[in-house]
Amino acid sequence: MSLTPRQPLTLSETSLPPAPPPAPKPTPASSLDIFTGDPNFMTSLARGLIVIQAFTQQSPQMTISQLSVKTGLSRAAVRRCLYTLTKLGFAGAEDGSRYSLRPRMLTLSQTYTTSNTLSTAAQPILERMSAALRESFSVATLDGEDIVYIARTQVSRVMAVDLHIGSRLPAYCTSMGRVLLAYLPTEQLEQYLAKAVLTPHTTRTIISVEKLRLALRNVRRNGYALVDQEYEVGLRSLAVPVYAASGRVVATLNLSGNAPRLSVLEMQSRFLNHLRNAANELSAFLN
């Protein structure tokens, strides 16, 4: 008796359930959903801020359609935001279609830096250190999942990106970010680790939560963070905490340099005490 070869099962015969549709990618606009129903939340202002933050060094000019896609806001909402910003002098479009921010936007950052005690106190300390040591120094604070530069001096270009006051970098793979994460209260750190996306920027980047936990424990034990080419190849940085009177870490101060020029040993032996002394000076000013 001959046997008929078994035919492969069709999709209908296997009765497999259809694959679930992919989850929609979160957008800046979707972050506003948690405020739905809050009578005190000004949605129009929030949308305007989302549009402002959509402009970056990589995307300094965008059309309404491009901004709509990037922010997740409707074209009508983007158009109203841009109309308002243009009327107030904070944005404009030279060709009538591609919008960009205007110099008046600088007044917002200037208002922050001149009114912020930490930023005001840090800048002359960094400038004095740069003049004496001929290296680039920065002070940053934690904002969400990023660090934000609030003071900086630069004697040479050490990164491919142009860093300045207001620049943002991911916390998990930078020395300043590691310091700020290491001294977070346990509950806040767990919240960060639960949602952080650890993207590999170089082959050295720590992208395991457990390895990041270990690195943060080492920061607390040593009192400083040294990150070697995890964010950018050729960049090595060293950071220390800045304490408030309450004992809480409110900022971090760092040195960034070219890896081939500054060895790990030299950073620790030559610059660590300078960083700690400057951080103590800044802490004393705040207290």
Side-chain angles (χ1 to χ4, degrees):
M1 181 175 66
S2 62
L3 298 176
T4 303
R6 182 177 177 84
Q7 298 298 316
L9 296 175
T10 64
L11 180 60
S12 59
E13 290 174 310
T14 59
S15 302
L16 292 176
K25 185 178 179 180
T27 63
S30 63
S31 66
L32 304 183
D33 293 344
I34 60 174
F35 301 106
T36 300
D38 186 343
N40 295 314
F41 186 77
M42 190 177 294
T43 304
S44 57
L45 175 59
R47 289 171 177 166
L49 293 173
I50 286 175
V51 169
I52 290 172
Q53 293 176 87
F55 291 97
T56 63
Q57 186 176 6
Q58 293 73 32
S59 304
Q61 293 184 328
M62 285 180 283
T63 64
I64 290 175
S65 296
Q66 290 171 329
L67 281 163
S68 177
V69 171
K70 188 171 183 178
T71 62
L73 296 170
S74 68
R75 287 168 53 91
V78 171
R79 184 180 296 107
R80 288 194 299 272
C81 290
L82 289 172
Y83 177 85
T84 303
L85 291 170
T86 299
K87 287 295 184 182
L88 295 177
F90 291 106
E94 295 295 342
D95 60 0
S97 62
R98 296 181 64 81
Y99 286 83
S100 62
L101 300 180
R102 290 290 182 257
R104 189 173 187 184
M105 192 63 65
L106 293 172
T107 60
L108 300 181
S109 62
Q110 183 181 16
T111 299
Y112 171 80
T113 55
T114 56
S115 63
N116 183 270
T117 303
L118 182 59
S119 176
T120 303
Q123 194 63 39
I125 295 175
L126 300 187
E127 290 173 359
R128 188 180 69 240
M129 291 177 67
S130 284
L133 302 173
R134 305 306 303 164
E135 298 292 344
S136 300
F137 298 94
S138 308
V139 171
T141 56
L142 190 65
D143 183 28
E145 298 182 11
D146 297 331
I147 60 167
V148 179
Y149 285 73
I150 63 170
R152 177 164 171 79
T153 57
Q154 184 169 303
V155 296
S156 62
R157 187 73 172 270
V158 295
M159 295 186 69
V161 295
D162 181 23
L163 292 178
H164 49 81
I165 295 174
S167 291
R168 305 175 71 92
L169 292 180
Y172 68 93
C173 59
T174 55
S175 63
M176 292 196 288
R178 294 264 174 90
V179 167
L180 293 168
L181 291 175
Y183 290 94
L184 280 178
T186 301
E187 183 178 351
Q188 292 183 33
L189 177 60
E190 291 305 316
Q191 290 174 354
Y192 169 86
L193 293 173
K195 64 180 181 180
V197 179
L198 307 182
T199 303
H201 291 273
T202 75
T203 56
R204 294 171 176 257
T205 309
I206 290 178
I207 55 174
S208 160
V209 171
E210 288 310 310
K211 288 183 178 180
L212 181 57
R213 286 184 192 277
L214 177 60
L216 297 180
R217 285 197 293 270
N218 288 335
V219 171
R220 290 190 70 107
R221 184 178 67 248
N222 298 328
Y224 68 88
L226 197 153
V227 172
D228 189 7
Q229 305 180 76
E230 290 192 42
Y231 179 72
E232 183 178 301
V233 174
L235 177 70
R236 185 172 286 143
S237 60
L238 178 69
V240 297
V242 175
Y243 292 89
S246 62
R248 183 172 62 92
V249 172
V250 293
T252 176
L253 190 152
N254 99 324
L255 156 73
S256 54
N258 185 269
R261 183 176 60 83
L262 286 176
S263 68
V264 170
L265 180 60
E266 183 179 10
M267 275 195 156
Q268 293 169 317
S269 61
R270 182 183 170 197
F271 295 105
L272 183 55
N273 282 338
H274 288 288
L275 287 176
R276 283 174 167 163
N277 290 338
N280 289 338
E281 183 181 351
L282 184 53
S283 294
F285 183 91
L286 296 177
N287 298 337

